[in-house]
């Protein structure tokens, strides 16, 4: 299926046109690209014992007639990787992604951007700024002791990348975001798409450079405003005032989704007007919830310890008690408790050594004890949770765009689509697909990284095509009898895991293929939905 889709998209002709073919070479650049893509999807460790694996594959059917497993030895693969790099692997993959969008007729107006790191083993001492700088940087996986590269993705709400790159391991997102805007704009111009488009990114995009480059690229920006920005702090403060008119609660999900409210204001950022959408979520982030509970318990424990300490050690004079109470109140930083403190006066017999004399009135002493009346402040608790559940979206999208109302709810819906690009990272970090990269030259690391990105795009197209004919009314029956209404590519792969093709070599050199056993109903349904039949096997 993957081989058939790749050929339908015309990627092999495009690659052969962009990469010069060596007349002495028995294979084409597209042959090695397709073989490596199939290798990635097979779940093997990329590039390891590739020639031996090719002997087990039906290469004439999967790649093209005439290719032989022996032609995919380590030296041949290395030469092809170098040719792909020299021909401009970034440009090659960019053209492939653009052709995929055009062939599939996918809208080109709203895009989501993000980056992730990918750790590598090895020294890579030869890395330089002219190639790919494999070095230490901020690791999203917490693997700061290993060198890394980074993947950058800009794609639609379905996760299909229009732009993708492999860049230096220490490049900051605040540098990457402004630089990528012009490149996406070039992609759109090659697709003959004119006019404004929307760029959605995380808070690292909230810089003056990003807004400047966005304006030059005819892009409208939606991003999350960092809480450290003054205009964000002011917006959050204004949202608490009585003048703030919040929207009615709404949900973005069809069933039992989180409820939101929004309130909008405006500001100027480095001279550019922006809209600020304050969003309040009904559900508090679990990490924040744990932090709040921990702080509440810590406050209660502090008050209890102080009360016990003063009960054991009363003061001999009121002045000392008042000084201690004043000092305590100044140091107190309570958020979820209300405290009232009083100084209690107690008169008791003064303790003397020995037995008291008969008929002598015992001496007395006056002690002063601080008593704390502490109570949980439910109102402060609710107010703090409400504030913690708020965040601010900053956007340059007008209230009406392309004949479409772009209110706070619509801006939030577009921002929430950011999860589509983040889900791509699970593919890029899934050991089944990518695992380790075992090549010596940074140039070859770059090529293999770009092939991972191309594999991601083909995976998304495969998944997208299947989901177009699978509905809640007509779900797929997955492994174990599960009903699949939005099947992932891997869930579909599982349904085809045990398809066997018998290849018979005839005396005259001809080959005959047949299925080991008939395809199941679900397998035939998927092939039909993809516009294929069992002919892709036989």
């Amino acid at each position: 299926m993957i081989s058939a889709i790749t050929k339908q998209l015309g990627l092999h002709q495009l690659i052969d046109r962009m990469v010069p073919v060596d007349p002495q070479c028995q294979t084409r650049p597209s042959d090695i690209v397709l073989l490596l893509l199939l290798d990635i999807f097979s779940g093997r460790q990329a590039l390891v014992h590739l020639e031996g694996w090719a002997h087990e594959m039906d290469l004439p059917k999967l790649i093209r007639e005439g290719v032989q497993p022996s032609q995919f030895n380590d030296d041949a693969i290395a030469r092809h990787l170098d040719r792909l790099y020299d021909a401009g692997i970034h440009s090659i993959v960019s053209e492939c992604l653009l052709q995929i969008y055009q062939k599939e007729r996918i809208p080109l107006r709203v895009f989501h951007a993000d980056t992730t790191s990918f750790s590598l083993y090895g020294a890579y001492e030869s890395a330089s700024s002219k190639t790919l700088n494999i070095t230490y940087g901020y690791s999203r996986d917490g693997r700061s002791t290993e060198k890394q590269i980074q993947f950058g993705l800009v794609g639609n709400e379905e996760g299909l990348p229009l732009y993708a790159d492999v860049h230096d391991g220490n490049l900051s997102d605040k540098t990457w975001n402004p630089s990528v805007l012009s490149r996406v704009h070039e992609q759109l111009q090659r697709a003959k798409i004119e006019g404004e488009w929307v760029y959605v990114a995380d808070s690292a995009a909230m810089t003056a450079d990003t807004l400047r480059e966005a304006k030059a690229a005819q892009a409208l920006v939606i991003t999350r405003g960092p809480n450290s920005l003054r205009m964000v702090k002011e917006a959050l403060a204004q949202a608490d005032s009585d003048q703030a008119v919040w929207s009615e609660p709404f949900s973005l999900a069809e069933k039992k989704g989180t409820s939101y409210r929004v309130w909008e204001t405006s500001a100027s950022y480095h001279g550019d007007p922006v809209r600020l959408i304050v969003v309040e979520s009904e559900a508090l982030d679990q990490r924040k919830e744990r932090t709040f509970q921990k702080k509440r318990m810590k406050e209660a424990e502090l008050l209890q310890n102080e009360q016990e300490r003063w009960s054991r050690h009363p003061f001999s004079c009121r002045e000392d008690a008042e000084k201690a109470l004043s000092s305590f109140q100044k140091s107190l930083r309570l958020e979820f408790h209300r405290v009232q403190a009083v100084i209690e006066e107690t008169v008791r017999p003064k303790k003397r050594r020995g037995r008291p004399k008969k008929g002598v009135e015992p001496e007395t002493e006056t002690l002063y004890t601080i008593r704390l009346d502490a109570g949980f402040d439910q109102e402060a608790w609710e107010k703090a949770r409400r504030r913690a559940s708020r965040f601010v979206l900053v956007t340059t999208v007008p209230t009406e765009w392309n004949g479409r109302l772009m209110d706070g709810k619509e801006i939030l819906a577009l921002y929430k689509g950011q999860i589509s690009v983040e889900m791509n990272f699970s593919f890029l970090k899934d050991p089944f697909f990518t695992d380790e990269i075992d090549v010596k030259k940074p140039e070859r690391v770059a090529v293999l990284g770009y092939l991972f990105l191309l594999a991601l795009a083909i995976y998304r197209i495969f998944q997208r095509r299947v989901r177009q004919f699978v509905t809640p009314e007509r779900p797929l029956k997955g492994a174990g009898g599960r009903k699949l209404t939005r099947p992932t590519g891997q869930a579909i792969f599982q349904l085809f895991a045990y398809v066997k093709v018998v290849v018979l070599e005839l005396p005259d050199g001809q080959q005959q293929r047949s299925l080991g056993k008939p395809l199941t109903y679900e397998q035939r349904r998927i092939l039909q939905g993809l516009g294929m039949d069992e002919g892709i096997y036989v």
Side-chain angles (χ1 to χ4, degrees):
M1 290 185 291
I2 294 296
S3 173
I5 289 175
T6 305
K7 291 174 182 177
Q8 288 174 359
L9 294 171
L11 301 184
H12 53 301
Q13 295 99 329
L14 175 60
I15 292 169
D16 288 340
R17 189 170 67 248
M18 295 188 70
V19 184
V21 178
D22 189 334
Q24 294 182 329
C25 190
Q26 296 173 306
T27 53
R28 305 168 186 169
S30 61
D31 296 338
I32 189 63
V33 169
L34 183 50
L35 185 72
L36 289 175
L37 290 176
L38 297 176
D39 185 40
I40 291 169
F41 284 111
S42 73
R44 297 178 65 256
Q45 188 174 353
L47 294 182
V48 176
H49 305 300
L50 199 56
E51 182 182 353
W53 177 72
H55 276 278
E56 302 173 8
M57 306 303 292
D58 191 358
L59 296 183
K61 192 69 179 170
L62 291 172
I63 298 180
R64 64 178 175 86
E65 292 287 345
V67 294
Q68 300 295 326
S70 59
Q71 296 167 352
F72 297 107
N73 57 69
D74 288 350
D75 292 336
I77 292 170
R79 286 193 296 270
H80 274 301
L81 292 177
D82 292 340
R83 288 192 190 99
L84 286 164
Y85 183 84
D86 293 338
I89 185 62
H90 175 76
S91 298
I92 294 167
V93 171
S94 294
E95 288 296 328
C96 288
L97 296 178
L98 183 58
Q99 182 157 303
I100 289 172
Y101 263 79
Q102 292 174 323
K103 288 264 187 180
E104 298 292 304
R105 298 182 180 180
I106 297 172
L108 294 150
R109 284 298 177 191
V110 179
F111 297 101
H112 301 265
D114 207 352
T115 68
T116 192
S117 57
F118 188 90
S119 299
L120 299 174
Y121 298 100
Y124 293 103
E125 300 296 343
S126 60
S128 69
S129 58
K130 294 181 180 178
T131 58
L132 178 64
N133 192 8
I134 304 171
T135 186
Y136 300 103
Y138 173 69
S139 173
R140 273 78 170 179
D141 305 321
R143 300 166 69 176
S144 56
T145 58
E146 298 171 9
K147 292 186 176 182
Q148 65 180 29
I149 57 175
Q150 294 189 82
F151 292 118
L153 289 172
V154 180
N156 70 349
E157 64 276 7
E158 293 178 285
L160 177 63
L162 171 71
Y163 173 90
D165 64 28
V166 181
H167 55 264
D168 295 347
N170 58 356
L171 185 67
S172 166
D173 281 6
K174 291 185 177 181
T175 303
W176 181 82
N177 274 293
S179 66
V180 81
L181 282 158
S182 60
R183 297 170 191 167
V184 177
H185 188 220
E186 290 172 6
Q187 285 278 77
L188 295 174
Q189 287 181 319
R190 284 201 293 271
K192 299 181 180 178
I193 301 295
E194 300 295 336
E196 294 176 325
W197 53 285
V198 177
Y199 182 80
V200 186
D202 62 15
S203 58
M206 191 60 242
T207 65
D209 290 341
T210 300
L211 294 186
R212 183 183 65 251
E213 292 298 325
K215 191 180 295 184
Q218 294 183 280
L220 302 170
V221 175
I222 299 175
T223 184
R224 183 163 176 165
N227 289 341
S228 57
L229 281 181
R230 179 189 297 176
M231 66 178 184
V232 171
K233 292 178 181 177
E234 291 174 352
L236 289 170
Q238 292 169 15
D240 268 334
S241 68
D242 295 335
Q243 289 74 35
V245 181
W246 287 80
S247 72
E248 291 297 318
F250 61 88
S251 175
L252 299 177
E254 294 180 1
K255 295 181 181 179
K256 297 181 181 179
T258 300
S259 177
Y260 298 95
R261 293 194 308 156
V262 294
W263 173 75
E264 181 175 342
T265 184
S266 59
S268 177
Y269 185 71
H270 290 274
D272 293 314
V274 294
R275 296 167 60 195
L276 302 177
I277 314 294
V278 182
V279 181
E280 181 181 293
S281 170
E282 177 190 42
L284 187 64
D285 182 274
Q286 290 184 356
R287 287 175 298 179
K288 291 181 180 178
E289 183 75 52
R290 287 195 295 269
T291 301
F292 275 16
Q293 292 289 359
K294 191 181 293 184
K295 190 169 186 178
R296 174 182 172 177
M297 292 173 62
K298 193 173 181 179
E299 287 182 2
E301 186 179 354
L302 169 69
L303 294 173
Q304 183 179 355
N305 290 341
E306 288 296 322
Q307 181 63 73
E308 290 177 356
R309 181 170 66 88
W310 284 328
S311 298
R312 289 193 303 267
H313 304 286
F315 296 91
S316 299
C317 69
R318 178 176 289 275
E319 185 180 354
D320 288 346
E322 289 174 348
K323 283 182 180 180
L325 179 58
S326 175
S327 176
F328 173 71
Q329 289 174 331
K330 287 179 182 178
S331 66
L332 208 55
R333 296 291 184 269
L334 298 179
E335 190 172 354
F336 304 129
H337 289 83
R338 291 190 302 266
V339 177
Q340 289 184 338
V342 294
I343 298 176
E344 294 183 335
E345 184 176 309
T346 304
V347 178
R348 69 179 187 183
K350 194 172 184 180
K351 291 183 179 180
R352 293 284 187 183
R353 298 177 69 180
R355 181 177 294 179
K357 295 179 179 179
K358 271 188 179 183
V360 177
E361 288 290 328
E363 291 185 52
T364 60
E365 62 179 352
T366 304
L367 299 177
Y368 301 89
T369 305
I370 298 174
R371 182 169 61 82
L372 300 178
D373 290 328
F376 176 61
D377 192 339
Q378 185 67 36
E379 184 180 346
W381 173 262
E382 295 296 336
K383 187 175 182 180
R385 290 182 85 259
R386 190 167 59 249
R387 285 181 173 176
S389 66
R390 291 176 181 174
F391 59 92
V392 178
L393 298 179
V394 183
T395 182
T396 58
V397 177
T399 53
E400 186 174 341
W401 179 64
N402 283 352
R404 177 178 169 188
L405 178 64
M406 303 299 286
D407 58 6
K409 179 180 178 181
E410 191 65 27
I411 296 298
L412 176 62
L414 289 178
Y415 179 77
K416 284 292 182 179
Q418 188 71 359
I419 193 173
S420 62
V421 69
E422 293 169 357
M423 288 177 66
N424 282 334
F425 299 150
S426 63
F427 176 95
L428 293 172
K429 298 190 179 194
D430 189 338
F432 179 87
F433 295 116
T434 54
D435 201 16
E436 300 172 10
I437 296 180
D438 291 321
V439 287
K440 294 181 180 179
K441 295 170 63 176
E443 294 86 348
R444 294 172 187 171
V445 172
V447 172
L448 198 53
Y450 274 104
L451 293 185
F452 287 159
L453 294 171
L454 184 56
L456 166 65
I458 295 170
Y459 178 82
R460 288 297 178 207
I461 286 297
F462 171 65
Q463 184 173 271
R464 179 178 186 269
R465 287 186 180 184
V466 173
R467 287 180 175 180
Q468 286 177 336
F469 64 83
V470 175
T471 63
E473 295 73 27
R474 291 198 64 204
L476 279 177
K477 188 176 180 181
R482 291 181 302 131
K483 289 185 178 180
L484 306 175
T485 56
R486 285 182 57 81
T488 64
Q490 279 188 301
I492 303 165
F493 289 162
Q494 286 179 351
L495 294 176
F496 288 84
Y498 299 105
V499 173
K500 286 186 172 58
V501 180
V502 179
V503 183
L504 299 176
E505 290 275 358
L506 301 181
D508 60 0
Q510 295 293 315
Q511 290 183 333
Q512 286 186 354
R513 296 176 177 86
S514 64
L515 290 169
K517 62 180 180 179
L519 296 176
T520 66
Y521 167 77
E522 295 293 352
Q523 290 169 340
R524 292 197 308 273
R525 182 187 168 197
I526 291 171
L527 290 177
Q528 289 169 2
L530 293 171
M532 304 173 190
D533 55 32
E534 65 180 35
I536 66 169
Y537 295 107
V538 299

